Amino acid sequence: MKIFLALEDTFQVKMAGFLDNFRWPECECIDWSERRNAVASVVAGILFFTGWWIMIDAAVVYPKPEQLNHAFHTCGVFSTLAFFMINAVSNAQVRGDSYESGCLGRTGARVWLFIGFMLMFGSLIASMWILFGAYVTQNTDVYPGLAVFFQNALIFFSTLIYKFGRTEELWT
Amino acid sequence: MGGRQGRGSAWRGGTGRQGRAPRGGEGRGGRGGLCGAGAAGGAPNLGGAAGQEAGSAAAQLGDMAGVKALVALSFSGAIGLTFLMLGCALEDYGVYWPLFVLIFYVISPIPHFIAKRATDDSDAASSACRELAYFFTTGIVVSAFGLPIILARVAVIKWGACGLVLAGNAVIFLTILGFFLVFGRGDDFSWEQW
């Protein structure tokens, strides 16, 4: 029994990972915890505007409506509207924690957030539909469909990063 | 608040006195004179006057660092604008559409100033308004890079001109960032510029 336990100890020690004692080189010049919100905002900004410029690029390179139907811009517009709706309410308002309730109150904030996310997901799904329905299955040049899809996907990820990548504790 | 100021001037005075020796020789004569004038004051005022003289000397040193930074930043700004103008004016290129990025250069600091004015920057490390300003500033920077690429994609400008404009963009935005890092701190924390 004792031999078995001793073997088990040795076995566990040997099975520890060789990266256990690895630490990233310490960079003390920047306090990343304080900069988290700024980094998240910048990354979200890069993604959002890259998405829009991809769409502008497609619209400029394929100006004819047969190549890129002008109605497909609607997805990007609704995604942008959803971005601002989602980020207009803070997480504290949704929880009911904040002192200033705004004009919505807690339930209103939740409904607003719900509608915002519905618009966002709807635009994303619509862009996928456009890509596959209007481009991949039609044997045409698929780049405008990809542009619509990437615009909405990038705006979606930008929304997520801007909403959940920032911490509201830094606001106090 | 008074205690804070007292500590600040004492700190500046101490470093001014010690820092004079390692700094450039041209500074020594002038500040030696100031020190002499300070020391000639009355005995009860000696510490205070010497502290103030050394404090203004320290402020002069801080201004020197500020002037050097200003010169360096204006040089890099000129280089950036040179790249932009080369992208427009070289014989191979000859079209001036890339000058539209100047609009982006001008409006890029505006969200930051709006946020600074709208929310009084108290003790909070960050605020929703400031983060939104970062978001829009990033957007303006991305747009300044996107516009030349799109112009080159539809052959309004050549790719070589696009490359020059992108290089100019990078230099100018680094210059603007440098401005904010060097001169953006509030006057309360001027000792951080050391």
Side-chain angles (χ1 to χ4, degrees):
Chain A
M1 183 64 178
K2 280 187 189 171
I3 300 172
F4 175 72
L5 288 172
L7 273 178
E8 199 175 82
D9 275 334
T10 328
F11 187 69
Q12 281 177 351
V13 166
K14 281 199 176 151
M15 286 308 287
F18 53 84
L19 289 178
D20 269 355
N21 291 327
F22 178 75
R23 293 275 175 273
W24 286 109
E26 291 294 328
C27 175
E28 284 141 14
C29 45
I30 304 177
D31 185 8
W32 287 114
S33 59
E34 288 232 346
R35 300 294 184 112
R36 177 184 154 171
N37 282 13
V39 170
S41 309
V42 167
V43 169
I46 291 176
L47 291 177
F48 183 90
F49 284 94
T50 305
W52 266 103
W53 278 96
I54 289 177
M55 192 61 192
I56 294 174
D57 177 69
V60 162
V61 174
Y62 296 91
K64 297 203 212 88
E66 297 84 40
Q67 294 163 319
L68 174 61
N69 194 337
H70 296 168
F72 297 158
H73 289 281
T74 322
C75 293
V77 171
F78 273 103
S79 283
T80 306
L81 180 67
F83 175 92
F84 288 109
M85 279 181 74
I86 289 171
N87 286 302
V89 293
S90 64
N91 289 330
Q93 272 178 301
V94 172
R95 277 197 305 266
D97 285 350
S98 79
Y99 294 114
E100 20 141 339
S101 60
C103 48
L104 294 178
R106 191 177 68 163
T107 312
R110 289 178 174 177
V111 169
W112 184 266
L113 199 63
F114 177 75
I115 295 176
F117 271 111
M118 289 270 291
L119 283 177
M120 179 59 75
F121 284 120
S123 303
L124 190 62
I125 293 170
S127 71
M128 289 184 201
W129 195 330
I130 288 171
L131 170 62
F132 286 106
Y135 289 94
V136 170
T137 57
Q138 303 296 333
N139 263 346
T140 60
D141 195 355
V142 83
Y143 178 75
L146 280 176
V148 174
F149 171 67
F150 275 116
Q151 179 199 18
N152 288 280
L154 286 173
I155 294 178
F156 174 70
F157 287 120
S158 158
T159 310
L160 290 185
I161 290 178
Y162 199 73
K163 180 90 190 136
F164 300 115
R166 303 178 299 151
T167 170
E168 294 178 8
E169 289 171 13
L170 290 179
W171 294 355
T172 57
Chain B
M1 195 63 90
R4 187 162 162 236
Q5 277 179 355
R7 256 189 280 120
S9 63
W11 193 93
R12 261 193 234 138
T15 310
R17 262 183 249 119
Q18 292 161 8
R20 220 169 287 131
R23 303 280 179 194
E26 77 277 7
R28 206 172 285 141
R31 279 175 217 103
L34 283 174
C35 187
N45 296 336
L46 187 58
Q52 282 174 8
E53 296 296 347
S56 70
Q60 283 179 9
L61 285 175
D63 285 344
M64 268 313 288
V67 168
K68 283 182 197 162
L70 193 66
V71 170
L73 287 173
S74 66
F75 179 70
S76 71
I79 295 285
L81 287 174
T82 305
F83 277 131
L84 179 63
M85 286 311 300
L86 280 176
C88 298
L90 282 178
E91 281 178 19
D92 277 345
Y93 307 135
V95 280
Y96 287 82
W97 292 112
L99 289 183
F100 274 105
V101 298
L102 287 172
I103 301 177
F104 293 119
Y105 296 164
V106 168
I107 66 176
S108 66
I110 291 181
H112 179 260
F113 287 131
I114 293 178
K116 211 164 161 187
R117 197 59 104 85
T119 64
D120 289 326
D121 208 11
S122 53
D123 305 323
S126 183
S127 81
C129 210
R130 182 139 48 118
E131 289 155 18
L132 196 63
Y134 284 149
F135 177 81
F136 281 118
T137 308
T138 314
I140 293 168
V141 170
V142 168
S143 300
F145 282 97
L147 179 67
I149 294 179
I150 290 195
L151 288 177
R153 288 259 289 159
V154 275
V156 168
I157 65 176
K158 297 208 183 76
W159 282 104
C162 172
L164 281 170
V165 175
L166 293 182
N169 278 353
V171 173
I172 292 276
F173 282 123
L174 285 175
T175 305
I176 295 178
L177 181 67
F179 254 105
F180 278 108
L181 288 178
V182 172
F183 297 108
R185 306 269 172 250
D187 290 325
D188 302 336
F189 301 103
S190 58
W191 46 268
E192 273 189 20
Q193 285 176 2
W194 292 66

